[in-house]
Amino acid sequence: MFFENSVCLTSGTPLGFDPTVREIVTPDPARHKLCANATVAACNWLLASDDPHDLCRSCRLTRTRPAYGDDGAQGEFVQAEAAKRRLVFQLLELRLPVRSFDETESTRKAANEEMGVVFDLLSSTHGPVTTGHQEGVITLDVSESDDVHREWLRRRLDEPYRTVLGHFRHEIGHYYWPILVEQTDHLARYRQLFGDERVDYQAALDRHYDGGAPDDWPQHFVSAYATMHPWEDWAETFAHVLHILDTLQTAVSFGLRIVGEPSAREPLHEPFERVIEAWLPLTYALNAVNRSMGKDDLYPFVLGPAVIEKLAFVHERVRDAAAQTASDPTGVA
């Protein structure tokens, strides 16, 4: 069974993902009901039978989607939602605080709390769409779900890696920056590693697109884009930590033997030295497998000591946040 399955391909048994236990289960009509997006978004997530909502925890976080009559964007929307479900699942696994934008927006200023998060999934077919994050609103151009379009952009921007899931992980990193860094005692350490985020963002953006990344960027940054501004460096590094943790968890759950293997369920709770000790040999093996199939490297990154130090900082902040969050998975409304 795979994360996306809604039916067992061998027996024909109905399946669904129960976010309260974070497992694929056989739906029990007495306990479960299907997400209302089961057809329109191919969602296989379940709700409790007495849940007053019609949409699952992941689908409720989508505020805007392409129009129903837009057939071209519909398939892209389905793929974008699938990637978002993987993101939300991982946030549940990591016990990171995620609250619905709609439920907190009206009270967040009075309560002096961080706002919730919401996703606007839009299609650039009918006008320009800028993928990004602003005060809890994550916007994604669902055209990124089209392999040809995304590959064209990847090559034009000279990026080694570009996926819809990668976009989601990057943008949610922006959402978590004030929660995990700005509002904590770790801001000074962040500035030592990533730089001072108070520098003018627009000026940094213009400089990056005019002159590009410095030649020595691989020694200090996880990607060329991370060189643009300390906020982007954080978001790129945050996304990379999520890549590492999710891939390690998947590898271990499939029984792959890894040097320095972390715990099967939660590599997050291992010291980062152990995580990277397991990660690097796995990437060497996965790259070799891809080359055996005549494909490009699955993991086209080189992690220098300065980059690993940044990854360790993000990992520590995520781990601390998880330790402060109750194990009850109702953090996603």
Side-chain angles (χ1 to χ4, degrees):
M1 294 182 294
F2 296 92
F3 184 66
E4 299 80 8
N5 283 157
S6 58
V7 64
C8 175
L9 299 180
T10 301
S11 66
T13 303
L15 301 172
F17 176 75
D18 184 344
T20 61
V21 295
R22 303 194 295 281
E23 297 286 352
I24 298 291
V25 301
T26 300
D28 178 355
R31 297 175 50 230
H32 302 114
K33 63 181 179 180
L34 300 179
C35 175
N37 273 354
T39 299
V40 70
C43 180
N44 67 338
W45 282 32
L46 304 171
L47 298 84
S49 57
D50 59 352
D51 194 313
H53 299 95
D54 293 324
L55 296 174
C56 72
R57 288 173 175 169
S58 178
C59 288
R60 286 204 300 274
L61 295 176
T62 297
R63 180 176 69 173
T64 312
R65 49 148 295 168
Y68 282 97
D70 191 344
D71 294 337
Q74 177 59 30
E76 297 168 350
F77 164 71
V78 169
Q79 294 184 58
E81 281 288 350
K84 181 165 72 67
R85 286 193 293 275
R86 280 194 172 271
L87 171 72
V88 175
F89 163 74
Q90 186 175 26
L91 300 179
L92 286 170
E93 286 283 275
L94 299 179
R95 297 172 184 161
L96 284 173
V98 179
R99 296 180 300 172
S100 169
F101 179 96
D102 292 333
E103 294 188 10
T104 62
E105 177 62 8
S106 61
T107 60
R108 71 176 183 87
K109 292 183 179 179
N112 195 29
E113 295 177 341
E114 72 274 6
M115 70 194 315
V117 65
V118 69
F119 294 82
D120 286 345
L121 306 183
L122 311 175
S123 174
S124 59
T125 302
H126 308 293
V129 175
T130 300
T131 295
H133 167 270
Q134 185 173 11
E135 296 193 1
V137 179
I138 292 176
T139 303
L140 177 82
D141 178 7
V142 297
S143 296
E144 289 278 353
S145 299
D146 178 76
D147 292 341
V148 175
H149 176 79
R150 187 177 63 255
E151 179 64 12
W152 175 78
L153 281 173
R154 189 190 71 79
R155 290 180 178 272
R156 185 169 71 87
L157 298 174
D158 194 26
E159 296 176 343
Y161 169 90
R162 189 181 183 96
T163 68
V164 176
L165 182 56
H167 282 311
F168 280 138
R169 285 174 172 163
H170 173 99
E171 301 306 340
I172 204 73
H174 285 301
Y175 169 74
Y176 280 119
W177 183 80
I179 299 171
L180 300 182
V181 179
E182 186 181 33
Q183 300 168 6
T184 72
D185 297 330
H186 300 275
L187 184 57
R189 176 59 176 160
Y190 162 83
R191 288 173 176 164
Q192 289 177 348
L193 292 173
F194 296 84
D196 192 335
E197 80 289 349
R198 293 169 293 186
V199 300
D200 187 270
Y201 184 86
Q202 185 60 51
L205 182 70
D206 295 340
R207 183 170 56 251
H208 177 78
Y209 284 113
D210 286 343
D215 292 339
D216 65 344
W217 70 260
Q219 300 176 30
H220 307 283
F221 300 89
V222 75
S223 71
Y225 189 70
T227 68
M228 191 188 81
H229 188 277
W231 280 335
E232 300 303 338
D233 193 8
W234 162 269
E236 286 286 271
T237 308
F238 182 93
H240 213 88
V241 169
L242 264 57
H243 293 331
I244 291 172
L245 296 178
D246 195 24
T247 306
L248 279 175
Q249 183 183 14
T250 300
V252 173
S253 69
F254 273 88
L256 297 181
R257 297 180 61 85
I258 305 168
V259 176
E261 180 177 301
S263 61
R265 283 292 295 181
E266 296 181 344
L268 170 69
H269 299 300
E270 298 284 348
F272 193 71
E273 292 81 4
R274 288 267 294 161
V275 173
I276 205 71
E277 180 183 319
W279 177 242
L280 293 179
L282 176 64
T283 64
Y284 304 151
L286 293 176
N287 285 347
V289 169
N290 260 33
R291 294 178 189 183
S292 296
M293 292 290 294
K295 303 283 287 183
D296 294 336
D297 285 351
L298 179 67
Y299 185 74
F301 299 93
V302 176
L303 305 180
V307 176
I308 292 176
E309 189 174 10
K310 292 179 182 179
L311 292 168
F313 174 81
V314 175
H315 180 266
E316 178 183 339
R317 297 305 309 121
V318 173
R319 185 167 62 171
D320 288 350
Q324 296 170 8
T325 303
S327 59
D328 182 88
T330 56
V332 177

